Amino acid sequence: LPGLKGLGLRVAMLRREPTQALRALLAAPPLTPAQRFVNNPTPAHSAPLFNELRTSFLTSYLERTPSCERAVCLLSQADARVHNDHVAFRSFEDSRGRSGLAFLQRLFLHFGYRSEERILIPAMPVNATWLEPPEETDWPKIFLSELRVRELPAAAAATIFGYIDGYYESALVDAAIAADDPAALATTLEKPPWSVSSADEETLRELGAEQPGLAAATEYAAWTLSHGHRINHATILLNTLGLPAVDSLSTLNAMLRREGFVFNAAGGADGFTQGSLAVSLEQSSTIADEVQKEFACGTTRSVRCSFLELIHRHDGFRGFLGQNAQGIFSSTWAQRKSPAELDEMYVLLQPSVVGSTAQLRL
């Protein structure tokens, strides 16, 4: 029966056995708000419900992102204290201006998260913001973004609107919260609410290949049509690791690269680090892991899904920088680009554009 099948899927999402990485992320010794770069005295609301939701969406994320599972295990085996600084979600703004960002934000604000400043992503038609968790919790920050679809060429926008229009109604989130149902909330985030065809997904990516100035936007669109509101990435905070040999993000990048991790070559002094000490924030990211995706037409093929980010915060900086985010977004691109190619594409894109057992070598 369809209803029972759906119920069984939702229950299974909550009952899976925790992996080594999940245990490391959820059961580590507590940190102070200052150690986590968190400032939000708002009391947590419905904390048990959110804890179940977090366990569910992190479990699903780790299953499809073996690079993160392996990195957390390697660091934990080296006696690092691994903290998840933030998780990120993508969405759309539909043809009537209804906001996917606001839709997702509504869910997290219910639990005591506080909305922070908007973030300008240079040369991308994307709105973004972030949310601060309550100080009394160990919850991650939340990074939310949405694509302004109406700024794409008409044909591409029409394709996207055909899938997303009518979905972003707050009643969906409100009903799941009111039901005190972590499985329903997990499904809202983890199960894509639309089913894109392989041809439409490929057409969007081909448009970006033909018109490099559109590539950042069309890659974002293709990914979000394929994966919906799943976690796009989770992030390890370098500051809390407590490893004497790891005093910089470039050092951590190099250590993981020696273990076979493939990083997004989006620039920086070492070729992989966004930002600098001068702007109080440094970030790097792996190339997204691939999953088998079954499209609406029945075609199944491998596509990039989620990835791992590393972050090093300085001088008490709690937030995010749009310039850094611009490079991080490219971790999910179907075709890897060099830093020079990425720079050229971002110049062309105008704002008005329509379980491992190995030991980490310290």
Side-chain angles (χ1 to χ4, degrees), residues 92-93 124-126 147-161 204 207 213-222 349-354:
F92 294 106
E93 185 181 74
M124 284 187 70
V126 168
L147 183 68
R148 299 192 300 271
V149 180
R150 288 176 290 182
E151 295 180 29
L152 297 182
T159 296
I160 297 167
F161 290 146
L204 285 169
L207 176 61
L214 294 172
T218 57
E219 287 284 343
Y220 183 112
L349 179 60
Q350 299 301 316
S352 60
V353 158
V354 180

Side-chain angles (χ1 to χ4, degrees), residues 70-71 74-75 77 252-263 356-362:
R70 182 166 173 256
L74 288 170
L75 290 166
Q77 290 160 10
L252 183 56
N253 294 341
M255 287 164 46
L256 291 177
R257 290 182 64 220
R258 287 197 298 268
E259 297 296 332
F261 289 81
V262 181
F263 275 73
S356 173
T357 57
Q359 294 297 312
L360 186 65
R361 297 194 295 273
L362 298 177

Side-chain angles (χ1 to χ4, degrees), residues 38-39 102 104 138 168 215 249 270 279 320:
V38 169
N39 178 11
L104 295 172
D138 64 348
Y168 291 122
L249 194 59
D270 64 350
V279 295
F320 298 88

